[in-house]
Amino acid sequence: MAKKFDVPIHFSVYINIPTFVTMLSNQYSIAEVQQIISAAGTIVRENNISILLTDSRQITNPAESLFFALHGRRNGHEFIAEAYNQGVRNFVVRHQPQQEYTAANFLVVSDVLKALQALAAHHRSRFNIPVIGITGSNGKTIVKEWLYQLMAADKSIVRNPKSYNSQIGVPLSVWQIQEGNELGMFEAGISTINEMDVLQAVIQPTIGVLTHLGSAHDEGFESTQQKVTQKLKLFKNCGLIIYNHDQLVNYTTNLPASAQTFTWSKNFKEANLYVFSETVISKRYYLRAVYKGQEIECLIPFLDEASVENAITCWATLLAMDYPAGEADKRMEHLAPVSMRLEMKTGINDCSIIDDSYNSDVQSLAIALNFLQQQNQHKFKTLILSDIFQSGLQQQELYRQVADMVKSKRIDRFIGVGEALQQNRDLFDGITQTHFFTDTTTLLAHLKELNFNNEAILIKGSRSFEFERISRALSQQAHETMLEINLNAMLGNLNFYKSKLKSGVKLMAMVKAFSYGSGTFEVANILQYNKVDYLAVAYIDEGIALRHAGIMLPIMVLNPEPSAYDKVLEFKLEPEIYSFSLLDKFVKFAQNNGVKNYPVHIKIDTGMHRLGFEEFELDTLCELLRNNHYIHVTSVFSHLVASDAEAHDDFTLRQISLFTNAFTQIEEALGYPVIKHISNTSGIIRWPEAQFDMVRLGIGLYGIDAAVPKHLSGLQPIATLKTNISQIRSIKAGETVGYNRNGKLLNDGRIATVRIGYADGYLRAFGNGVGKMLVNGVLVPTIGNIAMDMCMLDVSAVEVNEGDEVVVFNAQQTIEDLARQIGTIPYEILTNISQRVKRVYFYE
Ligand SMILES: *Cc1c(COP(=O)(O)O)cnc(C)c1O
């Protein structure tokens, strides 16, 4: 690489013009793209593109991006303006937009998704490298990541980021193939017939790996037979296929006849890898097998059944690809857990820590930076990044891309760790603050001087940099009791309800009471990023906290205290008006402060008898609202008392009818339309006719809906409450446990003390065997009274050690189960969890 001063002056001005930079292997002229995807449309300006975009929120380098206006839940065409405003000039669309976009190229195709796939397939076909295609029902991502761990030492590998294995994810993954890559690894996931043909054409695998096939057939397939034959289509042109012999005994005719197969089995002696012995040696799994007539062995650092099966698949793949047995064993021993999830937690000095210290590549950096950008609670944003390995890109080109991305995401402070980043530090000029360190230890030694304070810190490093050390140093002291929130599951639930809304119906998310106990700004930021229309909180303080955290969405306050109306104004909160006295006070307040047309929400009491105007008050209300210019009635709403209960359906119908009369009368008096809403979670699906203009989604976000049978709904639990064991002791029959001697063991046994009590929200009602917790997967009862900070479990029947994890609720023992145990409702269980319990957010 030429030193800076070697570059002739007249050259340096041109250095950033794309044609003078080495062409990237996935850089295409827009004319080439048009030809590849057979698109209509006129090219108004010649551009080179290297980045495929499918989400207008993920723009990093607009000039080089090609935006695909895909039809998802929303029509991608709706986002063209947003992308254009951010500088994107190249689009693949179904229709030329009506609006004029100067100097933008629109490639018009009949199917935008097919065009994306065709472009990726074309890109793939330019590379003559071995590509492993991975499919199955479970374990695809683990097997892919493990194969990567096993082979990254001697090959430059390109693979799907995370589990990007869908009809969209696969093309985006394959697009990353670069000159210099020696091996590709792509997983393919399908949910119905005919999808695999497309993924096969995009991935064009030369080697096939089949992971675990579930015995049940999934929704989307008629039978197991159909599911298996569809999946096997991925292997159509593979020369080598690796699979568990026992899984495919009935399906071998579906494999291409010309392919060489490599099978493994625990039963079938003729398999290429016959595993005949499995034992556990000091918390490791020891496998012995016969391979090519020889006895070979392998030690893996995992014990659970699924991991062992995935590991054997990887072992077989190494052998099938001619790694010597001894070398394979050596590498298998170092398999590390795969975690695709990024973790957000509270850090020192009011910082938020976003911990993605597991791996690092350009794609997952983009994902993590997006997540960082969604979190608005801190103005100041810091990225700590290590060198990135194995990308297949030239170093300078790689770090140019990284630097562009970091700059476009407006990072305030960049901290680079590693020699390669240090060498390329000039590329990061322009960022307000930059610091570079050769290694993690040096950074840790300078931690104090970096003065982390009230900022969001993304920690992203390659495994070898051991960034978990930085994460530990910056996190608050780990409280052992933790509420984990799975943000992907929450988004899944949100999208489930969105899909149930009639077209045009808005969605208000209820984030009162710390979002039902799950967190404040963390949840609100995610909802804002995912474009809900409204938020609602119970009290003004909650609204203020959201504004401080950078939430710009309109916020309705259900119970606004007149003493704090000035705060309503200052923080642009929208009050609910539920009585004449409140209306009078707010109008006077607006008058005194020179405010006109302030948005308010009128609450009608249709049967709850909690807050709201009653039927007989409507005439007077309408009189007061008519020609009142101090307020603007944004919405009129009411609340259903039993939307989930069939027994009260007549009552619900009456509520809906009362509400209809009320808003009709009010709208008439106002002379302008208002947003009308009455439905809470359980009403959304049970009472579609009551969706009106908006619904208010609360507990459904948390995967709980009394009106929908769980197995049908696709709702997922999002929260796990866990703690661990402080002490274990043996107790003789007849001895008592805990306060007031309420706990007694009938026989000699053992009890465990765990770190959760009624002050954490584990109520006293759970004591004396009423409540149960999961210890190493087994449900065990409480014994004795629950104390303030601790309680005891009867663990006589299970194998446990001090420090073991204990789960209070998760997907196995649900919040609903706990509610049943003590005769309450899930809402109360969730909102009781005290603020001292640390919240950790996961995003995959
Ligand atoms: C809490 C609340 C909701 C949400 O109810 P869920 O049953 O959790 O969906 C809706 N509307 C009002 C007025 C509420 O107070």
Side-chain angles (χ1 to χ4, degrees):
M1 189 176 39
K3 286 202 200 83
K4 221 178 181 179
F5 43 84
D6 291 340
V7 181
I9 298 296
H10 66 275
F11 233 85
S12 60
V13 259
Y14 294 116
I15 213 98
N16 283 328
I17 296 174
T19 41
F20 279 76
V21 173
T22 343
M23 276 292 261
L24 286 174
S25 34
N26 62 358
Q27 196 163 55
Y28 290 78
S29 78
I30 195 70
E32 276 177 282
V33 172
Q34 180 174 38
Q35 204 172 27
I36 295 165
I37 64 174
S38 318
T42 2
I43 289 170
V44 296
R45 205 168 71 186
E46 203 32 81
N47 287 329
N48 286 326
I49 60 100
S50 63
I51 295 167
L52 307 187
L53 263 184
T54 59
D55 185 335
S56 57
R57 297 167 303 189
Q58 296 180 359
I59 296 168
T60 51
N61 191 338
E64 292 179 31
S65 295
L66 175 61
F67 182 83
F68 287 79
L70 292 169
H71 261 268
R73 260 177 219 94
R74 307 257 306 256
N75 181 348
H77 286 65
E78 291 172 33
F79 300 107
I80 289 173
E82 189 178 327
Y84 181 85
N85 289 337
Q86 292 188 57
V88 177
R89 291 293 175 268
N90 301 288
F91 298 87
V92 179
V93 295
R94 241 166 50 154
H95 320 282
Q96 183 85 29
Q98 311 256 297
Q99 202 182 324
E100 189 72 43
Y101 292 102
T102 344
N105 297 314
F106 287 93
L107 304 183
V108 184
V109 296
S110 58
D111 186 327
V112 177
L113 177 60
K114 282 219 172 79
L116 170 68
Q117 293 161 339
L119 182 57
H122 171 90
H123 182 64
R124 160 69 183 100
S125 62
R126 287 178 41 215
F127 296 87
N128 187 15
I129 55 171
V131 168
I132 304 179
I134 303 163
T135 194
S137 305
N138 313 94
K140 295 184 282 292
T141 303
I142 305 278
V143 165
K144 178 200 71 197
E145 289 300 313
W146 276 352
L147 287 176
Y148 174 78
Q149 287 182 17
L150 292 165
M151 300 187 212
D154 50 282
K155 291 188 175 64
S156 163
I157 299 172
V158 53
R159 68 198 199 279
N160 325 57
K162 302 185 183 250
S163 44
Y164 274 32
N165 63 24
S166 68
Q167 296 287 300
I168 299 171
V170 166
L172 295 181
S173 303
V174 165
W175 183 253
Q176 302 174 100
I177 307 177
Q178 295 276 354
E179 214 58 67
N181 284 138
E182 296 159 309
L183 174 65
M185 293 179 177
F186 298 106
E187 55 173 297
I190 56 171
S191 51
T192 185
I193 55 166
N194 298 330
E195 290 187 342
M196 195 56 99
D197 303 281
V198 176
L199 298 187
Q200 189 278 333
V202 175
I203 298 174
Q204 302 162 34
T206 58
I207 300 170
V209 173
L210 182 69
T211 66
H212 184 82
L213 284 173
S215 56
H217 73 81
D218 311 317
E219 218 182 305
F221 297 100
E222 283 165 13
S223 61
T224 311
Q225 162 92 30
Q226 189 190 52
K227 182 180 84 172
V228 177
T229 47
Q230 290 290 324
K231 288 192 192 273
L232 294 182
K233 287 181 172 200
L234 179 62
F235 304 149
K236 194 166 86 181
N237 293 326
C238 288
L240 169 65
I241 300 168
I242 297 116
Y243 63 95
N244 175 349
H245 167 269
D246 310 344
Q247 290 202 109
L248 285 195
V249 261
N250 299 321
Y251 301 101
T252 42
T253 52
N254 294 105
L255 295 173
S258 58
Q260 196 189 327
T261 59
F262 188 104
T263 59
W264 68 268
S265 174
K266 293 180 185 176
N267 308 304
F268 181 61
K269 289 200 166 105
E270 279 69 41
N272 298 77
L273 180 67
Y274 166 52
V275 181
F276 67 87
S277 153
E278 307 169 69
T279 34
V280 176
I281 299 178
S282 60
K283 294 218 168 183
R284 281 160 174 250
Y285 213 78
Y286 179 54
L287 296 166
R288 289 160 68 202
V290 180
Y291 168 61
K292 288 187 172 166
Q294 303 276 322
E295 196 183 308
I296 64 168
E297 58 180 16
C298 148
L299 197 60
I300 51 180
F302 296 94
L303 298 180
D304 66 284
E305 201 179 331
S307 296
V308 171
E309 178 169 345
N310 290 330
I312 297 175
T313 301
C314 292
W315 191 20
T317 307
L318 284 181
L319 297 170
M321 291 176 70
D322 292 328
Y323 281 84
E327 183 63 26
D329 173 30
K330 209 163 80 195
R331 295 189 183 197
M332 294 287 292
E333 242 180 273
H334 298 291
L335 280 181
V338 171
S339 161
M340 291 288 130
R341 57 193 207 175
L342 156 170
E343 225 180 272
M344 177 165 66
K345 51 197 169 186
T346 313
I348 54 166
N349 307 333
D350 293 322
C351 293
S352 292
I353 307 297
I354 299 170
D355 183 351
D356 195 2
S357 54
Y358 160 74
N359 69 6
S360 201
D361 54 68
V362 180
Q363 278 294 325
S364 68
L365 174 63
I367 295 166
L369 281 170
N370 263 316
F371 186 85
L372 176 66
Q373 232 189 6
Q374 291 170 37
Q375 293 297 320
N376 300 305
Q377 65 270 29
H378 308 285
K379 290 229 163 56
F380 195 90
K381 296 190 167 139
T382 295
L383 166 65
I384 307 179
L385 182 74
S386 80
D387 285 354
I388 294 175
F389 299 121
Q390 305 291 345
S391 79
L393 289 176
Q394 292 295 314
Q395 271 209 2
Q396 205 187 355
E397 178 47 32
L398 166 69
Y399 292 111
R400 181 192 70 85
Q401 281 191 12
V402 169
D404 283 353
M405 201 186 284
V406 173
K407 286 176 198 168
S408 81
K409 292 293 175 186
R410 289 185 292 275
I411 298 297
D412 301 287
R413 167 150 72 165
F414 179 80
I415 300 173
V417 182
E419 279 164 17
L421 271 169
Q422 208 161 29
Q423 275 162 20
N424 289 285
R425 60 188 300 161
D426 292 356
L427 295 169
F428 295 85
D429 287 352
I431 297 171
T432 316
Q433 278 186 45
T434 56
H435 309 269
F436 292 86
F437 300 95
T438 40
D439 52 46
T440 306
T441 307
T442 319
L443 165 62
L444 284 169
H446 290 81
L447 218 51
K448 274 234 164 60
E449 295 140 53
L450 290 165
N451 260 326
F452 293 102
N453 191 8
N454 186 18
E455 58 200 279
I457 308 168
L458 170 61
I459 303 175
K460 183 117 186 85
S462 306
R463 177 178 287 282
S464 60
F465 278 84
E466 298 179 347
F467 268 16
E468 57 275 10
R469 290 163 62 202
I470 303 174
S471 164
R472 238 177 284 136
L474 293 179
S475 299
Q476 262 182 354
Q477 203 63 38
H479 189 316
E480 308 279 0
T481 302
M482 193 160 67
L483 182 68
E484 284 182 6
I485 307 290
N486 179 339
L487 295 172
N488 294 81
M490 174 178 280
L491 285 179
N493 296 337
L494 175 67
N495 287 330
F496 169 75
Y497 285 103
K498 278 189 179 167
S499 74
K500 302 292 173 191
L501 295 183
K502 297 184 188 170
S503 132
V505 175
K506 294 182 192 305
L507 192 143
M508 173 184 269
M510 308 305 285
V511 293
K512 58 195 183 193
F514 295 105
S515 302
Y516 291 44
S518 70
T520 54
F521 50 75
E522 299 90 349
V523 171
N525 271 313
I526 297 287
L527 294 171
Q528 170 164 285
Y529 185 77
N530 286 281
K531 300 190 193 295
V532 305
D533 301 285
Y534 251 95
L535 295 178
V537 294
Y539 295 104
I540 291 170
D541 286 350
E542 294 180 320
I544 297 174
L546 292 182
R547 287 285 182 246
H548 281 316
I551 302 296
M552 267 104 74
L553 285 174
I555 300 176
M556 177 170 94
V557 182
L558 296 166
N559 207 337
E561 316 85 298
S563 59
Y565 277 166
D566 53 331
K567 299 284 181 207
V568 166
L569 213 64
E570 184 183 345
F571 292 97
K572 291 201 165 64
L573 304 174
E574 304 181 6
E576 164 183 329
I577 303 284
Y578 54 78
S579 71
F580 288 123
S581 131
L582 215 58
L583 178 62
D584 182 53
K585 286 186 181 130
F586 195 77
V587 169
K588 287 216 172 88
F589 175 80
Q591 217 166 351
N592 292 338
N593 288 275
V595 175
K596 286 249 163 78
N597 289 321
Y598 198 88
V600 302
H601 303 264
I602 301 284
K603 173 76 161 287
I604 307 297
D605 180 5
T606 55
M608 174 76 96
H609 298 335
R610 191 168 66 177
L611 297 176
F613 293 96
E614 291 190 51
E615 201 179 7
F616 73 89
E617 298 174 308
L618 288 178
D619 288 341
T620 320
L621 176 64
C622 286
E623 274 323 300
L624 293 170
L625 293 179
R626 210 185 298 271
N627 299 320
N628 186 327
H629 298 298
Y630 297 107
I631 56 172
H632 176 90
V633 179
T634 301
S635 87
V636 173
F637 74 108
S638 186
H639 196 27
L640 296 174
V641 303
S643 55
D644 61 324
E646 213 177 319
H648 299 297
D649 281 357
D650 286 345
F651 191 82
T652 304
L653 279 170
R654 210 172 84 206
Q655 284 195 283
I656 296 171
S657 143
L658 278 174
F659 177 57
T660 308
N661 292 338
F663 70 66
T664 311
Q665 200 179 333
I666 295 173
E667 264 187 345
E668 228 170 64
L670 289 171
Y672 57 80
V674 298
I675 300 174
K676 301 168 270 289
H677 48 116
I678 192 169
S679 193
N680 64 338
T681 296
S682 313
I684 295 176
I685 293 168
R686 278 204 79 220
W687 297 98
E689 65 272 39
Q691 291 182 1
F692 295 108
D693 302 320
M694 181 154 82
V695 297
R696 301 189 304 273
L697 179 63
I699 195 117
L701 268 182
Y702 310 94
I704 297 168
D705 186 341
V708 202
K710 187 129 287 164
H711 60 286
L712 292 180
S713 71
L715 288 178
Q716 307 169 60
I718 69 158
T720 299
L721 178 59
K722 51 166 109 157
T723 180
N724 59 27
I725 296 181
S726 336
Q727 202 177 22
I728 293 172
R729 73 179 73 243
S730 296
I731 297 281
K732 288 261 177 283
E735 279 192 66
T736 66
V737 178
Y739 284 119
N740 298 88
R741 311 194 59 205
N742 272 346
K744 262 198 189 87
L745 283 186
L746 293 177
N747 303 305
D748 293 358
R750 273 173 322 130
I751 61 161
T753 304
V754 296
R755 298 180 160 98
I756 188 168
Y758 57 78
D760 298 293
Y762 196 67
L763 301 179
R764 283 186 85 246
F766 285 112
N768 301 301
V770 172
K772 295 180 176 56
M773 295 190 195
L774 285 161
V775 181
N776 295 331
V778 183
L779 270 184
V780 300
T782 59
I783 178 166
N785 288 340
I786 308 295
M788 189 184 290
D789 311 306
M790 282 170 267
C791 66
M792 276 69 90
L793 300 174
D794 178 353
V795 291
S796 306
V798 277
E799 188 69 38
V800 282
N801 294 301
E802 288 177 2
D804 279 1
E805 184 178 286
V806 175
V807 173
V808 182
F809 60 72
N810 62 2
Q812 188 183 338
Q813 173 170 247
T814 62
I815 294 169
E816 288 101 315
D817 292 333
L818 264 73
R820 257 188 305 269
Q821 287 162 10
I822 62 164
T824 183
I825 52 172
Y827 299 77
E828 199 182 13
I829 300 287
L830 261 173
T831 53
N832 262 331
I833 301 162
S834 81
Q835 287 305 305
R836 116 173 148 186
V837 174
K838 183 171 156 192
R839 269 72 173 165
V840 178
Y841 301 84
F842 291 111
Y843 186 76
E844 299 187 337

